[in-house]
Structure formats: C-alpha cells, structure tokens
Amino acid sequence: MEIHLNRVDYIQVGVTSQKTMRLLPSSGKKATQKVAIADNDGVLSCFGMKKGEAVYLFKTLPGRKISRLDLGGAVGTPQEKIFVCCGSMVRGFTKKGKPFLAFEANLTESINAMHVSGADLFVCASYIYNHYCDCKDQDYFLSGDKINDITCVSSENLTRVVPVLACQDRVLRVLQVYQIYQSFFSFEIAGPPLYLNMSHFSTGEEIVYGTTDGKVGLVQIGEQSATAKWEIDNVKKKGGILCIDTYDIIGDGVNDVLVGRDNGTVEVYGFDSSGEPTLRFEHVLSESVTSIQGGCVGKDTYDEVLTVTYTGWVTGLTTEPQKAEVGPGNEIKMSKETQSKLETLRAELEQLQVRVLQGREQYQQTSQSSSALSGVPIFSINDKFTLCQDDASYSLTLEVQTAIDNLLLQSDVPIDLLDVDKNSAVVSFSECDSEQPNGNFLLATYRCQANTTRLELKVRSIEGQYGTLQAYVTPRLQPKTCQVRRYQIKPLSLHQRTHSIDQDRPMNRLSLVGQFSFAEIHSWVVFCLPEVPEKTPAGETITFCFCNTFLGTQLEATYCKGEGHFKSDNISTISILSDVLSKEATKKKINLNISYDINDDSVNHTLKMIHPKLEYQLLLARKVQLIDALKELQVHEGNADFLIPEYRNILDESANLLEEYKKQPAHLERLYGAFLTVILGLH
C-alpha cells in the first residue's frame, strides 16, 4: 500500500542540531500537538497551529548552543516536560515555558547525547557516560571510542532500565550496572551508528539504529545479549542517517519507520506480510534532516511526518489532501483560507523588502564613515568527510545556512576529484606547481548556482601520500567573507575499521621496540590510520583491525608502552607504516628497534586479489574504446545485426559502460600503482 503525503512549510528557526525537536503529547486522540524545538542560538521555542497559522506559545532568550532536546515526566504520566542540553548544563521547562531545572553535570566536555526517563537522567559527552537520579550521581562509564547517541530500553521482561550507547567503532554498547561494579556487552553492526531510537513495535526491548553510511536496522536487547531483527541496506547511496522515528503514518495498525538523511531525503518504511520493511514513501528536501517525528500538527485527525532541516525549516508531510477547485477557463479556485494566507505572505514579503532596503542603505552609510569598523558576517557550516567503502573514495559534504557563492579546494597531496551526479556546480582547475616546497597538487574552484546551500564532492587519495585537503567556503554575503575547513589525508587513508580479520591469510609483520609511551605510539597510529579514537584507550594494550576498501587487504595493529606489532597481508601497508612511524619517532628523537618478518606467500596472495580488479578495469577500458567505432559502423550499415553478440552487447550497454568509466578516473592507473608497490615492497 503506497501513501501520498503533501508538503506544508510551517516556520523557520535558527540552525539546528540532531534530536532538537519533539511533539508534545496531545490532549485527545488525533488532536493537534504542540511542537518544541531548539536551535544553535540557544533559543527554545514551542508553537502550535491556530486557524492554519503557526503561533508561538513561548520562546526563550538566546544563549549557549542547544545540542539535544528530550521530553520527560513522572512515570505513568504524560511526558510533557522539556529538557535541553546547553554545554554541560541540563535545563528543564514546563510545556508553558516556565523553567524548573538548571542542573550542572560537571562534565569537562559539552553534552552531545541525552535521554530522560522518569527521575533518571542519562547524559554523554564524547567518551563519558553519566547517570543521575534526582540530580544525584549514580554511575558512569568511560567508552573506548566516541559516543554518538544514547537511548534506554525498558520493558516487563527486563529487570531494570538498560542504557544503550551508539559508538563510533561500529558497536552498540549495552551497559549493565550491579551496585558499584559496571560491565557491558557489545553488539557489532555494519557501520558507525549515529542515531538510536527506542522502537514502538511488539515489545519495549527493541531499538532502531541508523548509521553514517545510510543503513537502518532493528536490534532486540536482552539482559546478556542482543539479536539483530532486520537491516535496510543503503543500495542507492542516499546519504547517512541523521534521525529516525516510529509511527503509524500508513494507518494499518503497525508502526512504520520514518527516516531522515543528511542529503535531505525523507523516507517512510512500512512492513509487508512477512514483517520485512518496504519503502512506501520518499520525499527530498533541499537540506539535511536533523529531526523527524510522526504526529498530528496541522489539523485534527490528519497524521503527518514533521521534519526539521539544518537551517531550521519546520516542514510537515501531511495526509491532509490539498483542495483545489477548477473554475471556468480551467483556472484554479483557491479557498478563502488559502487566499488569506497568500495575502498575509505578500504583506510580510513587502515589509521584508522595505527592511532590506533600509538595512542596505544604513550599511552603506556606516561603511563610508571614517570611524567605521569592519564587521565580518558569521555563518555556520555543517561539514562531513567520510570514507565510502563501496568505491574507496572520500565523500566531502558541505552545508551552509545561506547560499554558497563558490568553493575553492586546495590539496598538497595528489588526489582525484570524482564526478557526483547531484552536484550542479561548475568546476574549473588551475595549474599547480607541485615541485615547489609546499606546492599544490590540486587547485579547483566550484562556482555554485543561485540558492545552492549544500555541496557534495568525492575525492580519492593514494595510500602512502599524506597531507592536507583544504576547503575555502565563500557564501553569498556582503561584505565578502570566507571560512576554511581542513581535512587530513592520512598515510593509510583507504583503510576502514573492522571488527576482526582473517587470521589464515599469509601475514607480514612489523615490530617496533623503543622508549615511547602508550600515548605516543597511539598518537602515531592516529596519524597513520582513519577511524582511530584520538583519546588514548584505557588499559595497557589495545588492538585495532582494519580493511583496505580499495584492495580488500587487512591490517591488525597491537601496541602498548614500548612495543608495537603490526601485521598485514599487503607488504606495501607494512612498508608505509614503517616509513611513517620512523619519521614520527625521529621528530621526537626516539630511537626505534625495527624488525620485519616478511612472508613471501603474501605477495602472490595480494596480486591474486588485485588481478580480477585489474582485469575488469582493462576490459571496461577496451569496451569504452570500441563504442565510437561500433556506433559509426551501425550508422554506416543502418543496423547492428551483422555484428557478433559481444559487440552488439557493447552497443546496448554503451550508456552504462560510459557512466561507469566516467566514475572511475585513474582507476586503472591506481591498480597498476598498487601492483608495482607490492612488487617494489618485496625488495
């Protein structure tokens, strides 16, 4: 069963973060609900609908950035108290905007995740989890990797409230507290989880998670273990998950899964007769979706999917049909309510135009004054630089709260720019002199069309070549201003964290022994490899596993104070690690005793992994070279019936072949380079 939802824009607030919008409980079944929303300006506002217009119930004064918003209240009562996080402080407000709580969590970092359950408050900073009951400290937990989100599971089958942490190292950590002793068990998932939400399906023991690479899954939590129920793969590469909710928007009595992605896609997944999730609705907004929830906002009895975007637009996708009558001459007749809205909007637009003109004149007068001080406009940038496993490339996403004028990319390390279909900006390249000290290998300028607020780029690096990629973002603001974002291209930039490696592969080993601390060797590993937590792990020894997204080879790093052991089935990986770690130790004047254990079988093993990729790319390149000649023959002869089946198939698939070849610039050269690196690494 497909559904049809109509878009309605309500209001706009400031720039928003994840989980900063919630619907307050309604006074009756299918009655309209009030909306609580917080932004990065520190403003908490609550609005409702009155005669088709959004009317504020209350609005707080600006303050520190609000990073999270949650609803709470006594157990068994409507959850209508509003809790927000500002830095390390948690504030509470009634549904009418009256403050009743200002609790300082005494954390050294800002709170980035929060969950409220009755008198219990669960908060998380980057690596620290704290639990408070009636504002009294109960217990804490130090995570081995960055904490992205938290939720709690409670049901009749569980003896306690179970906190679940979404951690960057691709695991869900389920905490267990027994008096003063604390433990946890981990549940491994396919990607780094960015969002957790307690589901409202058959039991209260299930949570829905979303990952940075766009996967959505359901996990059932038990006292001692967790079980995966289902997972939705991101086959079409629509973007990472920023928000999830469960709500029966279809109206079949079963809660559906509402998903918001960082590329602006809003999805509704229903369930078929076998209980598997199926896509029922999709809508694309122009900005990333930071919050999503199902409820009734615009009109009684009509359900809708309420979303909030990065720049603060509150938009509803409602089941209410949009009425339009066709009158004489095929002209559309609008209702009186719609006409009233249009007149109000026209009046507001005229007022805004007058204010803009007045502000522009005032600015011109001020700027020409001898005592004028230059003021730089401040704007917010939401950026993300992530490794894509499928094509071994990095995705750079830049989102600005105002329109982007142009973007300059500069790199001091060789990288390739890949085409992105959704990117409509015009790119131009400048000549670079890489031979000079601190020379550039890439200078590219993207000129954006009007009203472009989001850019998505893709780059591919070469392992062993490391440096910095810089993005200079210039928005359409006066006076002209620019912000710089820097991204490190690491020596082993195409490696991705994994849970384990295949120990049966032929391995090369590298061992380091020296007078270095645990923190020093950890900082070297952070410099070499992506997805390693910057904070030094707890304990005396740590092990990380990695997989090369380009070749499929593996790496295991185990190190402690004074020792480091690395093993990989790719000899070039060992060679790169040896060079970089030696340089980093030399900078700190630390003597290293380096030993190798080279397995000759690993070379043959790695070449066998490269061979099918190389063969496929060679075949693709040859097919693309034949396309023009085959098309010319087809035009000359009038048809292609005289060609052998292989050539006819090339003509039939020419569009797909050209598109695939276009997406893989320098892919063949990279494989040749990997082939030579393995051979040279042996010597």
Side-chain angles (χ1 to χ4, degrees), residues 406-409 426-430 443-447:
N406 62 75
L407 168 71
L408 171 66
L409 281 185
V426 178
V427 60
S428 58
F429 296 90
S430 302
L443 280 175
T445 304
Y446 287 83
R447 293 176 177 84

Side-chain angles (χ1 to χ4, degrees), residues 22 91 105 118 144 150 247 306 399 429 477 487 489 537 591 625:
R22 290 293 299 272
R91 297 183 181 274
I150 181 175
Y247 185 80
L306 190 70
E399 191 169 17
F429 296 90
L477 293 176
Y487 310 96
I489 306 296
N591 293 324
Q625 289 175 350

